[in-house]
Amino acid sequence: MDTIQHVLVPVDGSASALAAARFAGLLARNCNSRVTVLIAHSEATVALPGITEAVLPGSTPFNAFPKKSARKHIEAEAREHIVPGVETALGSIPGGVEIVQVWGHTAGEICNYAATNAVDLIVMGKRGSGTFERLLLGSVSTHVIAHAQCAVTLVA
């Protein structure tokens, strides 16, 4: 790799993810890279009613919505509560910023996105806000480090 052209920043609204976005923004400006912000939603958030408050404090509980529309609601909540802070943390990115939301196993989706979208570097927080998922599946960052096909930088 001669230069870093595409940086992936998985975010979850945590302070660690915002620190990673700040670092990725600095790096992207220095390398004239493009940035993709990835919000990987766990299927567990749709399957378990009432978990919304733990994932997005102050939001409407998922069980207030038909299961069919829960995903759209969760994505809208992420656009409203997570994306603005991440955009501020990134700052101006001359190479451009794309916001992507995906569903599935969080760590697996991060690795899949990186592998299929020519990502040179994943910059992510060391600790996220996904306490429930961590209990079930282990650390997202640990999984990404072990399975990503590109470089990974963790930011504390």
Side-chain angles (χ1 to χ4, degrees):
M1 166 177 30
D2 294 328
T3 185
I4 298 170
Q5 297 177 356
H6 187 188
V7 178
L8 179 65
V9 185
V11 298
D12 60 5
S14 67
S16 187
L18 290 176
R22 280 190 291 280
F23 180 80
L26 176 65
L27 180 68
R29 281 187 291 282
N30 286 321
C31 296
N32 198 29
S33 307
R34 69 186 175 107
V35 172
T36 299
V37 173
L38 182 70
I39 303 171
H41 300 286
S42 171
E43 292 293 344
T45 58
V46 176
L48 298 172
I51 197 168
T52 317
E53 185 64 29
V55 177
L56 297 170
S59 59
T60 306
F62 295 154
N63 60 354
F65 298 90
K67 192 169 184 177
K68 192 173 186 178
S69 64
R71 280 184 174 200
K72 286 184 181 184
H73 177 72
I74 293 165
E75 290 175 2
E77 291 282 323
R79 279 191 300 277
E80 183 179 339
H81 296 286
I82 295 174
V83 172
V86 171
E87 289 175 332
T88 299
L90 279 171
S92 176
I93 306 297
V97 176
E98 179 181 16
I99 309 292
V100 176
Q101 296 192 55
V102 297
W103 286 87
H105 173 263
T106 304
E109 291 300 324
I110 293 166
C111 292
N112 289 341
Y113 188 90
T116 59
N117 290 279
V119 169
D120 299 306
L121 175 66
I122 299 170
V123 177
M124 63 187 297
K126 185 176 176 183
R127 289 177 296 279
S129 63
T131 304
F132 177 75
E133 184 171 350
R134 191 175 319 119
L135 289 172
L136 291 179
L137 305 170
S139 168
V140 172
S141 59
T142 300
H143 181 95
V144 171
I145 289 169
H147 298 284
Q149 297 175 9
C150 64
V152 179
T153 297
L154 296 183
V155 179

